[in-house]
CSV table of all heavy atoms in Angstrom, one decimal:
chain,number,residue,atom,x,y,z
A,923,ARG,N,-18.1,-63.7,61.9
A,923,ARG,CA,-18.2,-64.1,63.4
A,923,ARG,C,-18.5,-62.8,64.2
A,923,ARG,O,-17.9,-62.5,65.2
A,923,ARG,CB,-17.0,-64.8,63.9
A,923,ARG,CG,-16.8,-66.1,63.2
A,923,ARG,CD,-15.5,-66.8,63.7
A,923,ARG,NE,-15.6,-67.2,65.2
A,923,ARG,CZ,-16.3,-68.2,65.7
A,923,ARG,NH1,-16.9,-69.0,64.9
A,923,ARG,NH2,-16.3,-68.4,67.0
A,963,ILE,N,-22.4,-67.3,69.7
A,963,ILE,CA,-21.9,-66.6,70.8
A,963,ILE,C,-21.2,-67.5,71.9
A,963,ILE,O,-20.2,-67.1,72.5
A,963,ILE,CB,-23.0,-65.8,71.5
A,963,ILE,CG1,-22.4,-64.6,72.3
A,963,ILE,CG2,-23.9,-66.7,72.3
A,963,ILE,CD1,-23.5,-63.6,72.7
A,964,HIS,N,-21.6,-68.7,72.0
A,964,HIS,CA,-20.9,-69.6,73.0
A,964,HIS,C,-19.6,-70.1,72.5
A,964,HIS,O,-18.8,-70.6,73.3
A,964,HIS,CB,-21.9,-70.8,73.3
A,964,HIS,CG,-21.7,-72.0,72.5
A,964,HIS,ND1,-22.3,-72.2,71.3
A,964,HIS,CD2,-20.9,-73.1,72.6
A,964,HIS,CE1,-21.9,-73.3,70.7
A,964,HIS,NE2,-21.1,-73.9,71.6
A,965,THR,N,-19.3,-69.9,71.2
A,965,THR,CA,-18.0,-70.3,70.7
A,965,THR,C,-17.0,-69.2,70.7
A,965,THR,O,-15.8,-69.4,70.4
A,965,THR,CB,-18.1,-70.8,69.2
A,965,THR,OG1,-18.7,-69.8,68.4
A,965,THR,CG2,-19.1,-72.1,69.2
A,966,LEU,N,-17.4,-68.0,71.0
A,966,LEU,CA,-16.5,-66.9,71.0
A,966,LEU,C,-15.6,-66.9,72.2
A,966,LEU,O,-16.1,-67.3,73.3
A,966,LEU,CB,-17.3,-65.5,70.9
A,966,LEU,CG,-18.0,-65.3,69.6
A,966,LEU,CD1,-18.8,-64.0,69.7
A,966,LEU,CD2,-17.0,-65.1,68.4
A,967,PRO,N,-14.4,-66.4,72.1
A,967,PRO,CA,-13.6,-66.3,73.4
A,967,PRO,C,-14.2,-65.3,74.3
A,967,PRO,O,-15.0,-64.4,74.0
A,967,PRO,CB,-12.2,-65.7,72.8
A,967,PRO,CG,-12.2,-66.0,71.4
A,967,PRO,CD,-13.7,-66.0,70.9
A,968,GLU,N,-13.8,-65.4,75.6
A,968,GLU,CA,-14.4,-64.5,76.7
A,968,GLU,C,-14.1,-63.1,76.4
A,968,GLU,O,-15.0,-62.2,76.7
A,968,GLU,CB,-13.9,-64.9,78.1
A,968,GLU,CG,-14.4,-66.2,78.6
A,968,GLU,CD,-13.6,-67.4,78.1
A,968,GLU,OE1,-12.7,-67.2,77.2
A,968,GLU,OE2,-13.8,-68.5,78.6
A,969,GLY,N,-13.0,-62.7,75.8
A,969,GLY,CA,-12.7,-61.4,75.6
A,969,GLY,C,-13.5,-60.7,74.5
A,969,GLY,O,-13.5,-59.5,74.3
A,970,GLN,N,-14.1,-61.5,73.6
A,970,GLN,CA,-14.9,-61.0,72.5
A,970,GLN,C,-16.4,-61.0,72.7
A,970,GLN,O,-17.2,-60.7,71.8
A,970,GLN,CB,-14.6,-61.8,71.2
A,970,GLN,CG,-13.2,-61.7,70.8
A,970,GLN,CD,-12.9,-62.5,69.5
A,970,GLN,OE1,-13.8,-62.9,68.8
A,970,GLN,NE2,-11.6,-62.6,69.2
A,971,ARG,N,-16.8,-61.3,73.9
A,971,ARG,CA,-18.3,-61.3,74.2
A,971,ARG,C,-18.5,-60.7,75.6
A,971,ARG,O,-17.5,-60.6,76.4
A,971,ARG,CB,-18.8,-62.7,74.2
A,971,ARG,CG,-18.2,-63.7,75.2
A,971,ARG,CD,-18.6,-65.1,75.0
A,971,ARG,NE,-18.1,-66.0,76.0
A,971,ARG,CZ,-18.1,-67.3,76.0
A,971,ARG,NH1,-18.7,-67.9,75.0
A,971,ARG,NH2,-17.6,-68.0,77.0
A,972,VAL,N,-19.7,-60.4,75.9
A,972,VAL,CA,-20.0,-59.9,77.2
A,972,VAL,C,-21.2,-60.7,77.8
A,972,VAL,O,-21.9,-61.4,77.1
A,972,VAL,CB,-20.5,-58.4,77.2
A,972,VAL,CG1,-19.3,-57.5,76.7
A,972,VAL,CG2,-21.6,-58.2,76.2
A,1028,GLN,N,-18.3,-66.9,81.6
A,1028,GLN,CA,-18.1,-65.5,81.3
A,1028,GLN,C,-18.3,-64.7,82.6
A,1028,GLN,O,-17.6,-63.6,82.8
A,1028,GLN,CB,-19.2,-65.0,80.3
A,1028,GLN,CG,-19.1,-63.6,79.8
A,1028,GLN,CD,-17.9,-63.4,78.9
A,1028,GLN,OE1,-17.4,-64.4,78.4
A,1028,GLN,NE2,-17.4,-62.2,78.8
Side-chain angles (χ1 to χ4, degrees):
R923 297 180 62 79
I963 200 168
H964 90 273
T965 60
L966 293 175
E968 289 84 354
Q970 296 183 10
R971 65 189 183 186
V972 293
Q1028 188 69 21

